[in-house]
Amino acid sequence: MQKQFNSVFSFTQLIETKSIQPSIPIVIRFPNSQQPSEPNPATDIVLIDQQYDHLNESIKATFHGNVECYDYQTVEAIYTRLSLRTVDNKKVNQEQQQIKVAQLLLISFPTTTPITAIKQSIIVIHIGLKDNYIQRSCQLPNLSWARRMWALASRANLISFTSVYYSVLGGAYSSLSKANAHYAYKAGSLAIHQIKFAQWLKDPILESKCWLYYAEDLIQLHRFKRVDKIIARQLAFAQQLNDSILLKMCDSVQTRRDRMYAEYIPNSQ
């Protein structure tokens, strides 16, 4: 007898697991990854209660049953949750997880005898795959969801490209502005676009950085009063967040402003 693995992790079955406490040896056998129709004894996982540490004449029967999965990802998920690869302080949590997954598998175990009534026996659970598991693994069950995911991925790619475009081009114009003030206007214009972009993303930290980029462009244009207001506002924001990167950026812009101001005053007189 076989039972489908379509709802073994459902909320209903999770509630049913509270009535089951594994107290007999349980062997969970997984399919061969290269030949899924055949079992792979090398990957067997044996859960043995303390009272059965030494199997002897008390074992009177062995119950076999199949639990079918719709895809191999589910098989791998079960194997991962049942495998205890680390010990130390995580061992207790992993053993609890092991028991929980075993309970879920026992709920789906195909037997006419109640699990709680099985005594002095071994339960062997064969994890299998449906015949159409390859087709289901490649199937798109919901095209509207796929379109949504594609839209999100495209939006993320566009955001990444736009951010890099503004940063690289703005940095280039900012470097050229040291030789020609015309480029400072171009860099300032790009910094304004970056600020609007950060506001659209609702990212206050990115917006603060863009304001500091804008302040650096204003320094080249000798608009020191405007620069002082920007630095004071962004410094207060950085201190409120206690963001070390923003604080260092504010210090850097302030240092550059002081140096440019010291060079500008003698030349303007």
Side-chain angles (χ1 to χ4, degrees), residues 120-156:
Q120 296 181 327
S121 303
I122 297 177
I123 292 180
V124 180
I125 302 176
H126 298 268
I127 305 296
L129 286 164
K130 296 283 287 182
D131 293 336
N132 62 341
Y133 77 95
I134 295 179
Q135 178 184 352
R136 290 186 61 89
S137 298
C138 302
Q139 183 179 359
L140 289 176
N142 191 337
L143 288 179
S144 62
W145 178 251
R147 294 188 188 99
R148 175 62 176 164
M149 293 301 296
W150 173 256
L152 290 174
S154 301
R155 182 175 179 269

Side-chain angles (χ1 to χ4, degrees), residues 5-228:
F5 194 70
N6 58 345
S7 61
V8 71
F9 291 117
S10 68
F11 181 74
T12 302
Q13 300 222 358
L14 186 63
I15 296 299
E16 292 180 17
T17 60
K18 295 181 179 180
S19 62
I20 295 180
Q21 292 297 330
S23 58
I24 58 175
I26 302 172
V27 178
I28 303 173
R29 183 158 293 171
F30 293 87
N32 191 327
S33 59
Q34 297 181 350
Q35 186 62 37
S37 60
E38 299 178 359
N40 183 11
T43 59
D44 284 1
I45 294 179
V46 182
L47 307 179
I48 303 178
D49 190 67
Q50 292 182 357
Q51 61 179 317
Y52 287 95
D53 281 343
H54 301 286
L55 300 179
N56 48 38
E57 295 80 10
S58 61
I59 300 299
K60 297 181 178 179
T62 301
F63 289 81
H64 290 264
N66 295 345
V67 175
E68 290 191 341
C69 302
Y70 279 128
D71 51 56
Y72 205 85
Q73 289 86 343
T74 306
V75 176
E76 291 179 339
I78 296 173
Y79 184 78
T80 300
R81 286 162 175 77
L82 288 174
S83 301
L84 291 177
R85 289 188 293 273
T86 59
V87 285
D88 301 331
N89 58 342
K90 295 184 178 180
K91 183 175 180 179
V92 176
N93 293 334
Q94 288 186 334
E95 287 180 346
Q96 292 175 351
Q97 176 179 267
Q98 216 180 29
I99 293 173
K100 179 62 67 177
V101 176
Q103 289 173 328
L104 289 168
L105 292 174
L106 287 174
I107 286 294
S108 64
F109 189 75
T111 177
T112 55
T113 305
I115 296 296
T116 53
I118 298 178
K119 305 294 183 182
Q120 296 181 327
S121 303
I122 297 177
I123 292 180
V124 180
I125 302 176
H126 298 268
I127 305 296
L129 286 164
K130 296 283 287 182
D131 293 336
N132 62 341
Y133 77 95
I134 295 179
Q135 178 184 352
R136 290 186 61 89
S137 298
C138 302
Q139 183 179 359
L140 289 176
N142 191 337
L143 288 179
S144 62
W145 178 251
R147 294 188 188 99
R148 175 62 176 164
M149 293 301 296
W150 173 256
L152 290 174
S154 301
R155 182 175 179 269
N157 186 52
L158 177 62
I159 290 172
S160 176
F161 173 80
T162 305
S163 179
V164 172
Y165 173 80
Y166 282 142
S167 298
V168 174
L169 193 59
Y173 277 123
S174 182
S175 297
L176 292 172
S177 65
K178 298 175 183 179
N180 189 333
H182 172 72
Y183 293 111
Y185 287 102
K186 296 288 291 184
S189 176
L190 286 170
I192 293 296
H193 283 294
Q194 281 185 287
I195 292 170
K196 293 179 179 179
F197 185 66
Q199 291 173 343
W200 178 70
L201 291 176
K202 298 181 180 180
D203 189 339
I205 295 178
L206 178 60
E207 181 183 349
S208 178
K209 292 178 181 179
C210 294
W211 276 110
L212 292 173
Y213 299 150
Y214 182 53
E216 288 185 338
D217 302 323
L218 293 178
I219 291 173
Q220 294 297 127
L221 299 174
H222 304 145
R223 299 179 60 182
F224 298 108
K225 291 184 179 179
R226 176 66 170 157
V227 171
D228 291 339

